[in-house]
Amino acid sequence: AAGPRQRGRSCPWPGLPVLRWLPVLRWLPRYSRAWLQLDLIAGLTVGLTVVPQALAYAEVAGLPLQYGLYSSFMGCFVYCFLGTAKDVTLGPTAIMSLLVSSYAFHEPVYAILLAFLSGCIQLAMGLLHLGFLLDFISCPVIKGFTSAASVTISFNQVKNILGLQGIPRQFFLQVYETLRRIRETRAGDAVLGLACLAALAGLRAMKSHMPHASHTDPLAARVSYLIVWTSATARNALVVLFAGLVAYSFQAMGSQPLTLTGSIPQGLPAFRLPCFSMTIPNGTVPFGSMVEDMGVGLAVVPLMGLLETVAIAKAFASQNDYRIDPNQELLAMGFANILGSFVSSYPITGSFGRTAVNAQSGVCTPAGGLITGALVLLSLAYLTSLFYYIPKAALAAVIISAVVPMFDAEIFRMLWRVKRLDLVPLCVTFLLCFWEVQYGIVAGVLVSGILLLYSIARPPVKVSEGDVVLVQPRSSLHFPAIEYLRDTVCSHALAASPPHSVVLDCCHISSIDYTVVVGLTELLQDLRKHGISLAFCNLQDPVLKVLLSADLEGFQHFPSQEEAERCVGAELGGGGAAPSASTSESSLLPA
């Protein structure tokens, strides 16, 4: 059964504003038993993926492992009611866990408060329709960040694969200490970790190369396909379960060569407000100091959270013909993070891996998230005692397997072929993220902004010289570019002997601002002092209206380039052709 498409279908309450704020009302009245069956299967499949990943991502965030599970259910429930994409699942991710480790300082109180404040910021941005801010984060910056995060997170787990203790979390110190102490590797952890990595890679490859079964195949073939598909999809849970059984067997025999996860508190988290201060041995850290400590993280975490979710939602929406509203996604994430902080969650966002599992499992509506969230709650209530035997090497293998595909080596070659200048923000972001994540993101955005502003300030201008100088700006004209245009026109017009008149072809200019009008006024005056005339052609209506209302002295405009060149050439020859608009004194600048 096909899932509901959220565009082009009739609604029981057409035109009601509530449909915009509660997307659940678009599909709930049409919910069917067939959808329930598929949502149930998808929810259970994603649940088997999210539980081991949640434990692993809490390790990346530098928090006790139970906080990964605390962060994995509220987003599923909230997104069911407020989300616009049927495939997306909210929860802890590798990227967000890395950011939390940078801004929460491995303190649960900071992480929970960061979730609350991030949710408030996302909610405010959604209400103010500020989702367009994502457009200022370029693809090279995103690719540089995710590729650096892939390397950072993967190497951060090498210590668990090797069974090393006391390795610092700063990347460069981590590399140095790991290589220096590599002789201290625990053989049991290394063997199990590498075996888990091999198993995960094998199951992933098997799933990607597995042919699809059809209804015409024999029953045995279809059953075999289902078994292999389920095993490959739930590979994280299977590997962790196998590793746990190995660890339990060693424990029962009285020897334990593996480093275990240890005790995890059993039971559901209390529903309460996040703490707005933190008690330390020397006193109390007040709310203001905590916010100051988080610093730029209060901007980076909400934006990166939204960026992940919207990018994932758009990727899957394009396959299912429905539209994603970034502002609605902001509202969904805002409520998810705010309510999540009441149950001790750290900041969450959309997960690409689990969303892909959700889509491949045939989910029909966001209701599949209810099943996933319920499975996480059941794990918290009844299964945490079994998590004691999960080896840290197995969780490290799960993390590495999840983040390695995030490294995009192809992007470097692609940008080299398409636009080499885009390699600058990519490399700046990639390299600085190894120092500090926030520095890499901020520096990449600044470099992208500088390149964007430079292209606006130095637009391409085509200059053709003949009887007249024809100047054609190849993009819109904004105030940073007017001085560059003036210099270009004057240098070419005055270089000839005698000086040539100028025709400015404005066919690509759709709007101008006051500074541009002032600059054009000064350009007309400069050329007039040297006895050179300047004519405009192909003016679009908005630009023409602005220039006419400005009453520029010596302003001439013509409907086409050919007419402008003919009339200006006639003026040079003494013909005195009449321009399309009369001249008048400038109302902007004194003569």
Side-chain angles (χ1 to χ4, degrees), residues 462-483:
K462 180 181 178 182
V463 180
S464 304
E465 297 189 25
D467 293 336
V468 299
V469 176
L470 176 63
V471 180
Q472 296 175 300
R474 293 305 184 93
S475 63
S476 292
L477 195 60
H478 302 282
F479 69 89
I482 187 60
E483 287 300 323

Side-chain angles (χ1 to χ4, degrees), residues 381-440:
Y382 300 109
L383 301 179
T384 50
S385 60
L386 301 178
F387 297 156
Y388 176 90
Y389 296 101
I390 297 177
K392 286 189 174 183
L395 293 180
V398 169
I399 295 172
I400 293 173
S401 175
V403 300
V404 163
M406 289 166 35
F407 185 86
D408 189 357
E410 180 64 24
I411 189 65
F412 293 90
R413 186 170 60 179
M414 180 66 69
L415 291 182
W416 182 263
R417 293 202 308 262
V418 175
K419 188 177 181 182
R420 296 178 184 179
L421 197 60
D422 281 341
L423 285 169
V424 177
L426 173 73
C427 293
V428 167
T429 306
F430 180 76
L431 294 175
L432 286 183
C433 277
F434 291 121
W435 179 23
E436 289 288 348
V437 171
Q438 63 268 29
Y439 297 155

Side-chain angles (χ1 to χ4, degrees), residues 443-528:
V445 171
L446 287 177
V447 171
S448 292
I450 291 171
L451 294 178
L452 174 63
L453 292 175
Y454 183 82
S455 66
I456 293 173
R458 296 293 183 269
V461 178
K462 180 181 178 182
V463 180
S464 304
E465 297 189 25
D467 293 336
V468 299
V469 176
L470 176 63
V471 180
Q472 296 175 300
R474 293 305 184 93
S475 63
S476 292
L477 195 60
H478 302 282
F479 69 89
I482 187 60
E483 287 300 323
Y484 173 69
L485 180 64
R486 283 181 59 190
D487 293 342
T488 302
V489 171
C490 290
S491 63
H492 284 83
L494 299 176
S497 179
H500 286 176
S501 294
V502 180
V503 173
L504 187 59
D505 188 347
C506 302
C507 62
H508 297 293
I509 301 175
S510 58
S511 65
I512 57 176
D513 53 42
Y514 177 78
T515 306
V516 172
V517 175
V518 172
L520 292 176
T521 303
E522 295 174 345
L523 177 60
L524 283 166
Q525 293 175 351
D526 292 342
L527 295 177
R528 190 167 62 250

Side-chain angles (χ1 to χ4, degrees), residues 90 119 122 305-306 309 329-338 348-349:
L90 298 185
Q122 289 168 336
L306 174 64
T309 301
E329 294 298 302
L330 271 168
L331 293 176
M333 288 196 55
F335 277 113
N337 276 312
I338 291 173
I348 60 174
T349 182

Side-chain angles (χ1 to χ4, degrees), residues 532-552:
I532 301 173
S533 63
L534 171 65
F536 297 79
C537 67
N538 293 324
L539 287 168
Q540 299 185 28
D541 287 343
V543 178
L544 179 59
K545 289 179 181 178
V546 172
L547 293 177
L548 289 176
S549 64
D551 289 334
L552 303 185

Side-chain angles (χ1 to χ4, degrees), residues 208-441:
S208 62
H209 294 90
M210 182 173 55
H212 291 283
S214 65
H215 295 292
T216 58
D217 291 337
L219 178 61
R222 283 181 284 159
V223 171
S224 301
Y225 172 84
L226 180 62
I227 293 173
V228 173
W229 182 87
T230 303
S231 301
T233 302
R235 58 186 177 273
N236 292 329
L238 287 178
V239 166
V240 169
L241 177 61
F242 169 78
L245 290 174
V246 171
Y248 179 79
S249 300
F250 279 118
Q251 191 84 359
M253 291 187 297
S255 64
Q256 188 54 268
L258 305 173
T259 304
L260 302 183
T261 296
S263 299
I264 296 178
Q266 186 168 349
L268 305 180
F271 190 85
R272 61 190 177 193
L273 275 170
C275 296
F276 293 94
S277 62
M278 187 177 71
T279 303
I280 58 176
N282 298 330
T284 301
V285 181
F287 174 73
S289 297
M290 296 178 71
V291 171
E292 186 178 347
D293 291 339
M294 294 175 193
V296 71
L298 292 175
V300 173
V301 170
L303 281 177
M304 292 307 297
L306 174 64
L307 187 65
E308 273 199 273
T309 301
V310 171
I312 293 167
K314 285 184 176 180
F316 286 89
S318 63
Q319 302 172 17
N320 294 277
D321 193 27
Y322 57 81
R323 182 175 175 273
I324 296 301
D325 181 1
N327 296 306
Q328 180 61 38
E329 294 298 302
L330 271 168
L331 293 176
M333 288 196 55
F335 277 113
N337 276 312
I338 291 173
L339 293 178
S341 69
F342 283 64
V343 291
S344 302
S345 166
Y346 67 80
I348 60 174
T349 182
S351 166
F352 189 88
R354 295 194 295 274
T355 298
V357 170
N358 210 20
Q360 293 165 4
S361 302
V363 70
C364 290
T365 70
L370 298 179
I371 310 300
T372 301
L375 190 60
V376 175
L377 289 176
L378 288 174
S379 300
L380 275 168
Y382 300 109
L383 301 179
T384 50
S385 60
L386 301 178
F387 297 156
Y388 176 90
Y389 296 101
I390 297 177
K392 286 189 174 183
L395 293 180
V398 169
I399 295 172
I400 293 173
S401 175
V403 300
V404 163
M406 289 166 35
F407 185 86
D408 189 357
E410 180 64 24
I411 189 65
F412 293 90
R413 186 170 60 179
M414 180 66 69
L415 291 182
W416 182 263
R417 293 202 308 262
V418 175
K419 188 177 181 182
R420 296 178 184 179
L421 197 60
D422 281 341
L423 285 169
V424 177
L426 173 73
C427 293
V428 167
T429 306
F430 180 76
L431 294 175
L432 286 183
C433 277
F434 291 121
W435 179 23
E436 289 288 348
V437 171
Q438 63 268 29
Y439 297 155
I441 296 172

